[in-house]
Amino acid sequence: MGHGIRLGRLFGIDVHLDWSLLIIFGLIVVSLGAGTFPYLHPDWPAVTVWGTALVAAVLFFASVLAHELSHALVGRGFGIRVPRITLFIFGGLAQMDNEPGHWRGELWMALAGPAASLVLGAGFIALANLLIGPGGFDPEHPRESLAQLSPLATLLMWLGPINVILGLFNLVPGFPLDGGRVLRAVLWGATGDMRRATRWASRGGQGFAWLLIATGVAMILGAQVPLFGRGPVNGLWLAFIGWFLNNAALSSYQQLVVRESLHGVRVDRLMRTDLATVGPALSVAELVEDHLLRHSQRAFPVVEGGRLAGLVTMADVRRRERSEWAGLPVRAVMVPAAALTTVAPGDDAFEAMLALSRAGVDQLPVVVGERFRGLIRRQDILTWLSLYGDPALARELGER
């Protein structure tokens, strides 16, 4: 996920909205505004239909935010730092700085989110019933009863069940869903081995994901599935969710293995210091002839007076016409230091690897203040993992 939009801070936690959220937000608004609400309330004017649909989508994601905040606040009580929550296409993600130190912390943190969703769902349904009043809803004639509801009661009757479904779906025992984290906590408590518990819970998550994919394919082929229906659109969505969960389950286990393998390893133990550097006034032609063609090094720190001015790579050079190289200084093509993600020598190597992934680059400058100290490369971290961690995982990560 990208950085998206920062919405603000709640309880000391940064809340971000990922751009992918706009897809599902639009689908909810269109589904309610063009389908559900006009079907239930054909007499409603368009402004009421679309206004209610828009409010429903906003409140749904506010409910997702409440779900994730519950995780974060309960986790904080067990020493688990959650600096950021991101709302994205499949709901929300509370991003933890550290894994739980004990299975009980994992258990209660995992249960907090579904509990919040179920409480919200029950609360919305109770409020709707108060608005409707006794005898206002006839279960034998649901459509006729729903057609008599006000926009507020209709909104509450939609939000209630959707939050209940959200809470129950997250309790499915497949990692990294909340139910999978509950399963991991129980297995962790029973075995005393977090890695083994994570592996088993991850396999459960992958099994559930493949079940969703198979169900989605069956729906595409015309099968009628209870609760999900049939057809290519619903089937594709279900298969896509399954694909996402399969990747999330696998990557969650891999991240734990990498974190454990790099535990206590500092950046200065893995960083490269035997590097050629260049000055910002060097011409691009000289950079190519004297450095890129004569060294296996593909990223050159641009250093002036011991301070990092930027970083230049072959890709930066390729963006300019060859005819310009002789008269163009390196400072004109480099990525300036202000735009680079940097790490310090004492930083954790696992955090450096996460920073590499987030930035989508193969190396990060290591600095103290503005003073250049070296480069930490993805390949150097993978070499460490192949020697001291899981060689098969290191190979797999290296192939990505």
Side-chain angles (χ1 to χ4, degrees):
M1 296 182 296
H3 292 292
I5 305 169
R6 183 178 181 275
L7 299 181
R9 285 176 69 84
L10 285 173
F11 305 103
I13 302 167
D14 282 330
V15 179
H16 289 251
L17 184 153
D18 188 76
W19 295 111
S20 64
L21 179 70
L22 299 179
I23 299 172
I24 196 69
F25 185 88
L27 285 172
I28 290 175
V29 173
V30 171
S31 174
L32 294 177
T36 304
F37 291 163
Y39 172 77
L40 293 175
H41 303 284
D43 57 328
W44 278 9
V47 65
T48 302
V49 168
W50 289 101
T52 306
L54 183 63
V55 173
V58 172
L59 290 179
F60 171 69
F61 283 103
S63 301
V64 173
L65 177 58
H67 178 114
E68 297 303 327
L69 276 172
S70 300
H71 285 311
L73 295 176
V74 171
R76 183 182 289 175
F78 287 93
I80 304 166
R81 297 185 303 277
V82 181
R84 171 172 166 160
I85 288 173
T86 302
L87 302 179
F88 69 114
I89 189 168
F90 289 119
L93 178 67
Q95 295 168 269
M96 298 184 294
D97 263 359
N98 57 308
E99 288 285 348
H102 193 276
W103 67 269
R104 289 188 182 87
E106 170 88 319
L107 177 65
W108 291 112
M109 182 178 180
L111 287 172
S117 294
L118 293 173
V119 168
L120 281 173
F124 287 135
I125 293 171
L127 286 173
N129 286 327
L130 284 176
L131 286 174
I132 296 169
F137 185 82
D138 183 359
E140 294 184 3
H141 301 90
R143 185 186 173 189
E144 291 77 2
S145 297
L146 290 171
Q148 305 303 314
L149 299 183
S150 67
L152 179 58
T154 299
L155 181 63
L156 293 171
M157 284 296 286
W158 181 82
L159 282 169
I162 206 72
N163 271 281
V164 171
I165 291 170
L166 177 66
L168 294 177
F169 179 78
N170 271 279
L171 284 174
V172 171
F175 199 76
L177 293 175
D178 296 332
R181 290 190 172 273
V182 170
L183 175 62
R184 181 173 80 159
V186 172
L187 293 172
W188 183 7
T191 65
D193 188 334
M194 184 182 184
R195 182 185 289 198
R196 187 191 306 174
T198 304
R199 182 171 66 249
W200 290 347
S202 176
R203 286 175 179 170
Q206 289 179 277
F208 177 64
W210 280 108
L211 177 63
L212 289 181
I213 292 170
T215 304
V217 171
M219 291 167 61
I220 293 170
L221 296 176
Q224 179 74 28
V225 179
L227 298 178
F228 297 109
R230 74 167 105 186
V233 175
N234 290 342
L236 280 172
W237 266 108
L238 201 61
F240 184 51
I241 291 171
W243 170 82
F244 174 84
L245 287 176
N246 180 66
N247 288 344
L250 181 60
S251 64
S252 295
Y253 174 66
Q254 290 176 340
Q255 187 176 94
L256 174 67
V257 174
V258 172
R259 185 191 290 271
E260 287 186 346
S261 300
L262 293 173
H263 178 71
V265 180
R266 290 165 36 126
V267 166
D268 55 8
R269 189 168 181 182
L270 302 181
M271 72 183 191
R272 299 293 299 272
T273 56
D274 55 337
L275 298 164
T277 62
V278 298
L282 185 76
S283 73
V284 173
E286 290 174 301
L287 171 69
V288 172
E289 293 296 330
D290 298 338
H291 294 83
L292 288 173
L293 292 177
R294 298 180 185 276
H295 294 82
S296 60
Q297 188 176 325
R298 287 294 173 262
F300 288 86
V302 183
V303 178
E304 187 172 29
R307 297 179 181 275
L308 180 70
L311 192 71
V312 63
T313 66
M314 192 179 297
D316 300 318
V317 172
R318 288 192 185 124
R319 294 190 185 98
R320 307 304 287 258
E321 294 294 332
R322 190 178 303 174
S323 58
E324 299 179 81
W325 290 358
L328 203 63
V330 165
R331 67 164 57 91
V333 299
M334 71 181 186
V335 179
L340 292 171
T341 299
T342 62
V343 294
D347 286 350
D348 187 80
F350 177 74
E351 296 302 326
M353 189 162 189
L354 291 182
L356 283 165
S357 297
R358 285 193 294 264
V361 296
D362 292 321
Q363 61 280 311
L364 295 175
V366 182
V367 298
V368 176
E370 296 179 358
R371 311 291 295 185
F372 176 71
R373 290 292 181 265
L375 286 181
I376 179 76
R377 304 184 309 171
R378 176 182 171 86
Q379 185 56 49
D380 298 324
I381 298 176
L382 294 180
T383 299
W384 173 275
L385 289 176
S386 68
L387 292 172
Y388 296 98
D390 186 329
L393 177 57
R395 285 194 299 272
E396 185 176 342
L397 293 173
E399 290 169 0
R400 292 184 182 178

